[in-house]
Amino acid sequence: MTDTKNHSSGGVTGSLEGRVFQPVSFAELAEAVELALDYRGDVTVSLKSGESLSGYLFNRQVNGPDSYLEVFPSDSSQARHIRYDQIAAIAFTGEDTATGKSWENWIAKKDSERRAEVERVAADAKARGIV
């Protein structure tokens, strides 16, 4: 798949933010759509007609020549239905809201918050003369 940023032959790794995929086959397009479906930000779908549509990809149906995806456009409340054969490229243009938010980081943050709360409660108890 033609990727204009951070392309590696070992597969797609890291954040997709800023990457553009210009698939040359149905299999590559299906792969790009799956990546976009898992992406937690907006994508821009460029159509062969020259139109571009930015929004959140929320659904897809893979049925060979009848395959399509659905996007909630950024500028509309109506979902758009786009057939795969109309797609020229998929760009990951929105902020990746999941970047740096691993389970380990979440656990460390919660642990830090708990320790701060324990210290606050202990200081409050000491100030009241309870401890």
Side-chain angles (χ1 to χ4, degrees):
M1 174 174 344
T2 304
D3 171 9
T4 61
K5 183 179 177 186
N6 301 326
H7 182 69
S8 68
S9 60
V12 178
T13 60
S15 175
L16 294 168
E17 188 174 338
R19 296 175 79 169
V20 178
F21 292 92
Q22 297 173 318
V24 295
S25 69
F26 182 85
E28 288 182 0
L29 177 58
E31 179 184 356
V33 169
E34 290 302 314
L35 292 170
L37 189 63
D38 290 339
Y39 188 64
R40 294 187 193 140
D42 283 355
V43 297
T44 299
V45 180
S46 299
L47 305 179
K48 292 176 182 175
S49 67
E51 179 187 6
S52 288
L53 176 69
S54 293
Y56 186 76
L57 193 152
F58 71 94
N59 189 26
R60 52 75 182 97
Q61 182 67 44
V62 183
N63 286 333
D66 296 328
S67 298
Y68 65 89
L69 58 82
E70 292 180 287
V71 175
F72 282 122
S74 301
D75 59 357
S76 172
S77 61
Q78 295 294 319
R80 285 275 308 265
H81 178 100
I82 302 169
R83 288 191 348 251
Y84 276 28
D85 62 359
Q86 297 174 325
I87 300 171
I90 297 177
F92 295 78
T93 52
E95 178 186 357
D96 184 356
T97 59
T99 298
K101 296 183 180 173
S102 68
W103 174 253
E104 292 79 14
N105 289 347
W106 183 85
I107 292 293
K109 178 183 173 189
K110 290 299 176 185
D111 187 46
S112 176
E113 289 172 355
R114 284 187 205 104
R115 289 178 196 211
E117 179 66 10
V118 167
E119 290 174 11
R120 186 193 64 74
V121 169
D124 185 48
K126 188 173 183 178
R128 291 179 175 197
I130 298 172
V131 176

